[in-house]
Amino acid sequence: MTTAPWRGSQFLALQRLTRHRLHIAGSLTREKTYMLSNIFLKFSEFSMLDEDKQPFSNHYGATASSVLTDFLSTEDIATMPMEALIDHICKKGKNRFVDPNHTASLLQQAARNSYRLDKCLYEPLTISIASSFNLISAYESEMKAINKAIEKTLKGLDPNAYQSLLSIPGIGPVYAAGIIAEIGSIDAFNSHSALAKYAGLVWRENQSGNFNADDTMLSKAGNSYLRYYLIEAASHVKNHVPEYAAFYQKKYDEVKTHQHKRALALTARKFIQLIFGLLANHQLYSTCRVSQI
């Protein structure tokens, strides 16, 4: 079955926004990953320290950005007078550090322990890192604008479906909007199995005689956007709902390869039954068993 459910123009409008948000989120993740590779080259210890030894809690914050772009090399940080470094950190961090002396000490120690590069490499790396920070800031700004547009578009749709999904522990506005945009009207599906097939959360047979393989392949057909939102949402739900946590763990323990990926996909398949039941019956989530069709 490959029939695409009918959607009104408002569902298509929401879909354009949620898919674009996903595109921006992917671009943001890629840029952060790319920037970290440049940070490692310039300031190796900064990206390798354990969490309790990190000078800054956020690698992408204003103070971290300043340290990584205002100073040309780690040598500049390592040899800077402690008082001047503390003053710089306090100024850039708007005096929000509980112990700026400790932060400056961690930073200077990390600078001393970092690999040294040829001096000609520091400027290109600093320019690249600064450019990445600018792109990250732009992506985050666009993300906020898209979020507002999604919220506005949602108000023009049936609020019951949105509230039904939001009532599920672990599901926030992003996942709720994404799922609604891709499903459209739940009336287009006659069962949760049909919805699972549309999302591509079905498995190919992989067996011979009496042997059943543990590693059956997930179907590549179906709506990849809906599949993404369902799997990501299921990952959050299992952290909030004991029933789903137990189911995930059971499926995780059944095999020895690809445990997490397999267990999460199966949890998402179970999650579809809950979604279908809530949307089809116009219900809010409760700890009592939700009637499912």
Side-chain angles (χ1 to χ4, degrees):
M1 177 181 177
T2 57
T3 304
W6 177 87
R7 293 182 178 85
S9 58
Q10 287 179 312
F11 280 114
L12 291 175
L14 179 61
Q15 188 183 87
R16 289 298 91 201
L17 290 171
T18 55
R19 289 188 179 187
H20 187 63
R21 189 192 186 283
L22 187 58
H23 168 73
I24 293 175
S27 298
L28 180 59
T29 299
R30 285 189 294 273
E31 192 59 42
K32 286 183 175 181
T33 302
Y34 178 77
M35 184 178 72
L36 286 177
S37 66
N38 280 329
I39 290 175
F40 175 77
L41 290 174
K42 178 180 178 178
F43 198 162
S44 58
E45 199 70 11
F46 184 82
S47 58
M48 294 173 62
L49 289 173
D50 294 334
E51 186 174 344
D52 60 335
K53 295 182 179 179
Q54 283 286 347
F56 310 120
S57 59
N58 183 5
H59 277 176
Y60 312 103
T63 312
S65 171
S66 170
V67 167
L68 291 167
T69 58
D70 289 352
F71 297 100
L72 187 62
S73 70
T74 52
E75 189 69 24
D76 293 340
I77 299 173
T79 59
M80 189 176 190
M82 182 60 74
E83 295 77 12
L85 185 57
I86 292 172
D87 183 64
H88 180 88
I89 289 173
C90 289
K91 182 179 178 181
K92 296 298 180 180
K94 298 181 180 179
N95 295 312
R96 292 173 182 168
F97 289 99
V98 177
D99 189 352
N101 289 20
H102 181 62
T103 300
S105 178
L106 287 175
L107 184 61
Q108 204 161 62
Q109 186 62 44
R112 293 191 183 111
N113 293 338
S114 291
Y115 298 111
R116 295 293 185 266
L117 299 175
D118 189 290
K119 290 184 178 180
C120 70
L121 291 173
Y122 282 113
E123 185 174 0
L125 283 171
T126 301
I127 292 172
S128 297
I129 292 169
S131 176
S132 288
F133 271 118
N134 289 337
L135 288 171
I136 288 170
S137 178
Y139 284 135
E140 290 175 341
S141 177
E142 290 303 312
M143 188 77 79
K144 291 178 181 178
I146 289 293
N147 287 344
K148 288 182 180 179
I150 288 173
E151 183 180 355
K152 181 180 178 180
T153 305
L154 278 167
K155 291 179 180 178
L157 299 173
D158 178 8
N160 293 330
Y162 183 58
Q163 291 302 321
S164 291
L165 295 183
L166 282 183
S167 70
I168 303 172
I171 301 300
V174 171
Y175 293 136
I179 291 170
I180 288 173
E182 298 304 329
I183 289 179
S185 173
I186 196 64
D187 294 335
F189 303 93
N190 58 19
S191 68
H192 62 77
S193 297
L195 179 57
K197 195 166 186 178
Y198 177 66
L201 279 171
V202 292
W203 284 262
R204 301 172 184 172
E205 290 295 329
N206 186 14
Q207 57 186 26
S208 176
N210 294 324
F211 171 75
N212 287 298
D214 289 337
D215 217 6
T216 52
M217 296 292 293
L218 185 66
S219 172
K220 296 294 184 181
N223 184 319
S224 60
Y225 291 98
L226 178 57
R227 184 164 61 248
Y228 165 83
Y229 280 115
L230 290 171
I231 290 175
E232 289 297 310
S235 180
H236 283 72
V237 170
K238 74 176 177 59
N239 295 330
H240 292 81
V241 181
E243 178 187 352
Y244 283 84
F247 181 84
Y248 168 87
Q249 192 60 50
K250 176 185 176 183
K251 296 304 176 182
Y252 186 97
D253 294 337
E254 284 179 351
V255 296
K256 296 181 179 180
T257 59
H258 309 299
Q259 293 102 322
H260 172 68
K261 187 176 181 180
R262 174 183 182 273
L264 192 56
L266 289 168
T267 304
R269 177 61 185 87
K270 175 180 172 65
F271 181 55
I272 286 176
Q273 298 180 48
L274 174 61
I275 287 179
F276 184 83
L278 293 178
L279 296 181
N281 295 305
H282 308 289
Q283 293 177 330
L284 296 178
Y285 176 85
S286 72
T287 53
C288 299
R289 181 174 295 276
V290 178
S291 60
Q292 298 173 348
I293 297 176

